[in-house]
Amino acid sequence: MTMKIDIDSIIEGYAAGYFLMANDGENSLNWYSSKERTLIPLDDRFTYPRSLRRPLNQNRFTTAIDRDFKAVVEGCANREETWISPQLKEIYYALNQAGWAHSFETWEGEELAGGILGIAIGGAFIGESMFYRIPDGSKVAMVKLVERLRDRSFLLFDAQMTNPHLERFGSYIISPKKYSEMLKKALKLKCSLL
């Protein structure tokens, strides 16, 4: 049985600064907001590990958007503890069909190397999760996604919550008030990831 998904209400929730998560092992979804919001910089504060220079210079990976959206969702959900429940997967699929959710992918030949799952609203890209199958796959995806967001005049790359991995890319934390101000500005823009 397919559940009914109210796409407009979901987008309104993200546009208000919330994000959906399921508690691990549960199929019920809740809206969350963090006390501090983590952003990936789209200006010169963006950095990446030196170890990425070689795979970037060698053009080892190609990038694609939504080439295999479902595989990226599955890759992001396939971990010991996950907030991506079967219900949330269905929501992502519906958001992708409606043009809101996207996967930014790296490929090595015909093999999916890694990817980033997110929701694009106006000039905001709200990153939901990332994964890799081939070492450096998700890291190269991050660098190339930032380049794409800059080229497309996005204002905001929201990573929601911080971790040591994101800090290697120059992520920084802002207050809820500052995040709300930036989000409002970003939502007024008409940007497209595609």
Side-chain angles (χ1 to χ4, degrees), residues 29-113:
L29 295 176
N30 292 301
W31 286 103
Y32 292 90
S33 183
S34 53
K35 291 179 183 176
E36 298 175 325
R37 208 57 173 245
T38 299
L39 301 184
I40 303 296
L42 296 177
D43 55 20
D44 58 8
R45 290 177 291 175
F46 179 74
T47 59
Y48 57 83
R50 291 180 65 183
S51 61
L52 283 184
R53 288 181 185 169
R54 179 174 286 167
L56 286 166
N57 291 337
Q58 291 174 339
N59 293 316
R60 182 175 151 206
F61 300 107
T62 58
T63 59
I65 299 171
D66 298 339
R67 178 173 164 188
D68 197 341
F69 182 81
K70 286 191 175 184
V72 172
V73 173
E74 288 298 330
C76 289
N78 186 18
R79 55 189 79 193
E80 282 186 30
E81 291 185 24
T82 184
W83 62 95
I84 303 176
S85 65
Q87 185 181 10
L88 190 49
K89 287 180 193 177
E90 292 301 318
I91 288 172
Y92 288 145
Y93 301 150
L95 291 174
N96 175 253
Q97 288 293 311
W100 296 105
H102 299 286
S103 57
F104 193 87
E105 308 153 4
T106 49
W107 291 78
E108 187 173 55
E110 292 301 307
E111 186 175 355
L112 179 62

Side-chain angles (χ1 to χ4, degrees), residues 181-194:
E181 290 169 2
M182 287 185 72
L183 182 60
K184 282 178 185 171
K185 286 180 186 174
L187 293 175
K188 291 177 183 174
L189 301 176
K190 292 183 179 178
C191 302
S192 173
L193 195 63
L194 302 176

Side-chain angles (χ1 to χ4, degrees), residues 158-183:
D158 177 7
Q160 298 174 353
M161 294 179 277
T162 192
N163 62 48
H165 177 68
L166 295 177
E167 288 169 6
R168 297 178 74 193
F169 293 92
S171 68
Y172 63 100
I173 293 171
I174 60 172
S175 68
K177 183 175 185 287
K178 181 67 177 169
Y179 175 77
S180 180
E181 290 169 2
M182 287 185 72
L183 182 60

Side-chain angles (χ1 to χ4, degrees), residues 141-154:
M142 175 72 82
V143 173
K144 295 297 185 178
L145 175 56
V146 166
E147 290 175 2
R148 180 79 172 193
L149 295 174
R150 287 173 173 167
D151 289 345
R152 297 304 178 99
S153 301
F154 276 76

